[in-house]
Amino acid sequence: DSSTLPPDLKRTDSIDMFVRSMYRRIKLDYEKDTEHQGLNSYRFILPPNSMGSHTDPDSNIRNTDNSCFCIKEEGFSCFKSGVLNLEPVFRTMAKQYRGNGYPFAISFPHFYDADQVFLDAVGGLKPSKERHQFYVDVHPESGLPLAFRSRYQLNTIIRKDSDIDIMRNFEDELVLPFLWFEDGFSEPSAEMAAKIKEPVVKSVPSGVGHGSDMTLAFL
């Protein structure tokens, strides 16, 4: 079952996850112990370099695995850490857009954990760990998720266009947020918690992982 993990999860383990709506595979590491309805759980979060640029000067943020989102030789823009250009993902579907893909980029909501340059370019954003962090809380004995929040932001890439009056005075390139998503749940249901507390868990409680766009793997 792709919505559960093997039992006896350790704090030193990592969770490998493919999030379809983010078009990418991500890894989560242990952050802290949490508790839900009397059940102990381990919180796993994305490391600081999850959306790091492959050229970031900070080795703690740099992520060479993200080089596929930066293909300058094919005319795609490369962004600083915290924002990934999705144009290469869509290039086969949208060659009519100046030979490249649809002008979208992905980040965490309100540019949480992104380079300050993105926050400085637009107003009204207030990144918050509590509201915008991506996390999964896992019951270590059973491997069942007790809570998870998949959060990300879709941005449009706006470029100066001298042929359009209103866009002549734009910045050469602007990453502009236009919506952000939140999927998942913050607490297990009472029924789910009760079943997990039983001496022997014979089956996955109903509703676990239902509707999620995540596929989990154990490392």
Side-chain angles (χ1 to χ4, degrees):
D1 187 331
S2 62
S3 63
T4 63
L5 293 164
D8 299 321
L9 188 69
K10 304 293 190 297
R11 294 180 180 87
T12 53
D13 292 329
S14 295
I15 297 175
D16 198 54
M17 176 187 301
F18 181 80
V19 183
R20 291 188 296 272
S21 51
M22 293 180 71
Y23 303 98
R24 64 177 314 221
R25 173 183 175 183
I26 57 178
K27 187 187 78 167
L28 295 94
D29 296 323
Y30 170 83
E31 181 194 32
K32 62 182 180 180
D33 282 23
T34 54
E35 184 178 319
H36 298 276
Q37 299 196 35
L39 292 166
N40 180 52
S41 61
Y42 297 161
R43 174 159 294 182
F44 288 82
I45 63 171
L46 293 167
N49 71 341
S50 59
M51 289 199 182
S53 166
H54 70 294
T55 60
D56 196 295
D58 186 340
S59 60
N60 294 316
I61 302 298
R62 187 185 314 128
N63 190 338
T64 56
D65 290 340
N66 289 332
S67 61
C68 59
F69 294 96
C70 168
I71 311 178
K72 283 186 176 180
E73 62 272 19
E74 294 186 24
F76 296 107
S77 299
C78 298
F79 297 131
K80 291 188 175 183
S81 292
V83 175
L84 300 178
N85 188 355
L86 292 181
E87 288 180 300
V89 177
F90 298 121
R91 57 184 160 181
T92 58
M93 296 184 287
K95 289 188 177 295
Q96 70 272 20
Y97 182 81
R98 298 184 179 181
N100 292 332
Y102 298 121
F104 295 138
I106 197 165
S107 67
F108 294 121
H110 286 238
F111 291 132
Y112 173 70
D113 266 355
D115 191 282
Q116 186 63 36
V117 67
F118 299 108
L119 286 165
D120 292 342
V122 295
L125 299 183
K126 297 179 180 180
S128 161
K129 178 178 179 178
E130 181 179 348
R131 296 192 60 204
H132 305 137
Q133 185 185 50
F134 189 120
Y135 70 86
V136 180
D137 290 352
V138 182
H139 183 245
E141 289 81 10
S142 65
L144 294 172
L146 299 183
F148 85 85
R149 284 298 178 187
S150 172
R151 295 160 167 161
Y152 61 95
Q153 177 173 286
L154 198 58
N155 311 277
T156 185
I157 304 169
I158 299 177
R159 298 183 174 96
K160 180 186 293 186
D161 192 330
S162 58
D163 294 329
I164 302 176
D165 290 342
I166 198 172
M167 297 182 70
R168 286 177 181 170
N169 296 322
F170 264 62
E171 297 288 334
D172 290 339
E173 193 167 64
L174 174 68
V175 179
L176 183 67
F178 69 90
L179 59 90
W180 69 271
F181 300 86
E182 180 178 58
D183 188 17
F185 56 96
S186 298
E187 287 287 333
S189 66
E191 178 187 9
M192 174 182 170
K195 287 186 177 181
I196 294 175
K197 291 175 183 177
E198 292 177 0
V200 178
V201 179
K202 296 181 180 179
S203 62
V204 176
S206 60
V208 177
H210 179 69
S212 168
D213 69 345
M214 302 191 310
T215 299
L216 306 177
F218 181 71
L219 295 181

